[in-house]
Amino acid sequence: DGKPLGAVNILGIRSKTNITKAVLSEISPKLMAVGCFCIGTNQVDCVAACKKGIPVFNAPYANTRSVAELVICEVIALSRKLCDQTTGVHQGVWSKSANGCFEVRGKSIGIVGYGHIGSQVGVLAEMLGMNVSFYDHVPKLPMGNNKSVPTLDELLASCDFITCHVPETPETTHMIGKQQLALMKKGSYLLNLSRGTVVVIEELVAALKSGQLAGAAVDVYPEEPEGNCKNFVTPLQKMPNVILTPHVGGSTFEAQKNIGSEVAFALRKFVVSGGTTGSVNFPIVEPPQEIGSAHRLINIHKNVPGVLRDVNRIISDLGGNIRRQMLSTDESIGYLVIDIDQDVSLDVHEKLAVAPFTISGRVVETAQSTVTTPVIPIKGSCLPTTVTAET
């Protein structure tokens, strides 16, 4: 609606909205947090946001089941050439044949990335009678009879189906290319429902044409349209036994509902109590939501020596009593939550506002159903913000 970002306190975005360092530099210090109503946070410069004292929240678990179910659906569809068969009948072609069609029971599936989604895929695949192996760059506890393998190469060479569930990082970019596809079993299948940069599409096309792979399912692409369109192009189009979907792994009613509630819950908790659990770029502090008759001071500061000493000295000089204090830091910032007596909270807040280490801060004052949170930037005056919430 044309409202400038500098006028908002909480910013909610989806996966196609980019919050870059340049965008963050134009945002007013009134912005308290960013909520990504999606799974990934690649569209946000999380490092720059952290340095400005802005936590970024997402919903990492919300679409787990939806994606895992689609993977299992596509494993079965590929093994039965289901999409080619249904397209043929729609076109009037009756081609009944068992050639190249198999049950998935007893077949092996290899999972690249054994996180929330990968482990759920393993559980569902095992229920179908598949032999499940996985590779992850960090040790993970196997679910059920799932088995870990020490290297990606070993996983690729030993499985009938390979499915990718890794984030987009420099290490996972082009993770599956010519060399890796050549290691896969001849006649095997590749599924990618993770990130579009993980698989080199041109090399996947070559592997399909040569018969090295018997099929593939792709839900993500190196470049995707900003919105719905009718002119999307990929080299994988019109290839036999290749399932192409428009990034719909998490596009179910349940997943979208979960995303909305998870992110909204995290944002509300941060505003009301200062809790940062679930943030992808911020020190984690989880203070009790009930603060009784105290006021809660939240101070975001540069991670430099002596901050806690100076904060406590300010409180002591003003005669304040600290009821609770929680501090967590990362390499660039510190996140401090202090419950203190009401009669000195605003005075302490104002003193901290001009401290050289302060990035931003606010006071959480519980009074019935309204939480008043004055937000103080590193330079400038107090910017009052009222957030209504149940307390």
Side-chain angles (χ1 to χ4, degrees):
D1 60 2
K3 188 176 182 180
L5 289 180
V8 302
N9 303 114
I10 303 294
L11 178 62
I13 63 172
R14 295 299 301 266
S15 58
K16 298 299 183 182
T17 302
N18 294 312
I19 305 299
T20 63
K21 184 177 182 179
V23 171
L24 288 167
S25 67
E26 299 175 0
I27 292 179
S28 163
K30 290 181 68 175
L31 182 65
M32 295 164 56
V34 174
C36 297
F37 286 82
C38 49
I39 307 304
T41 56
N42 301 52
Q43 71 275 32
V44 180
D45 190 329
C46 292
V47 174
C50 178
K51 291 180 178 179
K52 287 182 67 68
I54 302 170
V56 178
F57 297 90
N58 68 335
Y61 312 107
N63 73 349
T64 297
R65 180 71 182 198
S66 296
V67 177
E69 286 187 1
L70 184 57
V71 171
I72 298 301
C73 165
E74 292 182 336
V75 165
I76 296 173
L78 288 170
S79 69
R80 299 297 298 272
K81 299 182 179 179
L82 189 61
C83 291
D84 288 0
Q85 298 284 13
T86 189
T87 299
V89 174
H90 275 289
Q91 296 174 346
V93 177
W94 188 270
S95 179
K96 182 178 178 180
S97 172
N99 184 40
C101 297
F102 309 93
E103 292 183 355
V104 299
R105 180 179 54 176
K107 302 302 185 294
S108 56
I109 183 169
I111 302 168
V112 183
Y114 199 69
H116 312 307
I117 296 173
S119 57
Q120 186 73 189
V121 169
V123 170
L124 296 179
E126 189 172 300
M127 292 172 65
L128 289 174
M130 301 187 75
N131 300 312
V132 181
S133 301
F134 68 88
Y135 167 75
D136 202 293
H137 72 289
V138 296
K140 295 291 181 68
L141 176 67
M143 305 294 289
N145 291 318
N146 295 187
K147 296 179 180 180
S148 173
V149 298
T151 66
L152 175 61
D153 288 356
E154 182 176 333
L155 186 77
L156 296 174
S158 61
C159 295
D160 301 307
F161 295 84
I162 295 292
T163 179
C164 300
H165 301 286
V166 294
E168 184 175 14
T169 67
E171 291 75 25
T172 63
T173 299
H174 296 171
M175 188 179 195
I176 306 296
K178 182 177 180 179
Q179 179 180 346
Q180 290 73 31
L181 292 166
L183 288 172
M184 291 177 63
K185 293 173 66 174
K186 186 172 179 62
S188 58
Y189 306 85
L190 177 69
L191 297 88
N192 184 24
L193 288 83
S194 57
R195 290 292 180 261
T197 57
V198 171
V199 177
V200 181
I201 297 296
E202 294 75 16
E203 299 299 341
L204 175 57
V205 170
L208 289 163
K209 287 182 176 179
S210 70
Q212 171 67 9
L213 299 188
V218 177
D219 187 50
V220 290
Y221 307 86
E223 295 182 6
E224 298 180 1
E226 293 294 328
N228 293 341
C229 68
K230 295 183 179 181
N231 58 353
F232 177 68
V233 176
T234 172
L236 291 164
Q237 287 163 336
K238 299 182 180 180
M239 300 199 68
N241 207 25
V242 173
I243 302 172
L244 302 178
T245 48
H247 205 151
V248 295
S251 295
T252 63
F253 170 80
E254 293 84 357
Q256 298 306 303
K257 179 182 178 182
N258 291 339
I259 287 172
S261 60
E262 279 187 27
V263 178
F265 177 82
L267 289 170
R268 178 192 176 278
K269 184 173 63 173
F270 173 69
V271 171
V272 172
S273 69
T276 56
T277 299
S279 172
V280 300
N281 69 328
F282 228 63
I284 301 301
V285 169
E286 192 58 34
Q289 294 199 32
E290 293 294 329
I291 61 177
S293 61
H295 280 180
R296 176 164 291 168
L297 261 66
I298 295 175
N299 179 262
I300 305 169
H301 55 265
K302 301 172 186 175
N303 187 8
V304 294
V307 171
L308 195 58
R309 175 202 62 205
D310 293 344
V311 170
N312 289 339
R313 181 177 296 158
I314 289 172
I315 297 173
S316 177
D317 289 348
L318 291 170
N321 177 49
I322 298 175
R323 303 189 184 185
R324 181 185 293 112
Q325 191 174 62
M326 302 177 72
L327 171 67
S328 182
T329 63
D330 64 17
E331 61 182 14
S332 61
I333 71 165
Y335 184 66
L336 178 63
V337 178
I338 311 173
D339 292 348
I340 63 173
D341 295 332
Q342 293 185 17
D343 55 354
V344 298
S345 62
L346 292 180
D347 292 334
V348 172
H349 186 52
E350 291 175 358
K351 290 280 189 181
L352 290 177
V354 296
F357 50 76
T358 295
I359 297 173
S360 65
R362 57 190 174 102
V363 175
V364 177
E365 175 186 347
T366 303
Q368 296 178 355
S369 62
T370 300
V371 178
T372 304
T373 59
V375 180
I376 296 183
I378 191 168
K379 294 181 180 179
S381 59
C382 182
L383 302 170
T385 302
T386 301
V387 181
T388 303
E390 296 178 3
T391 59

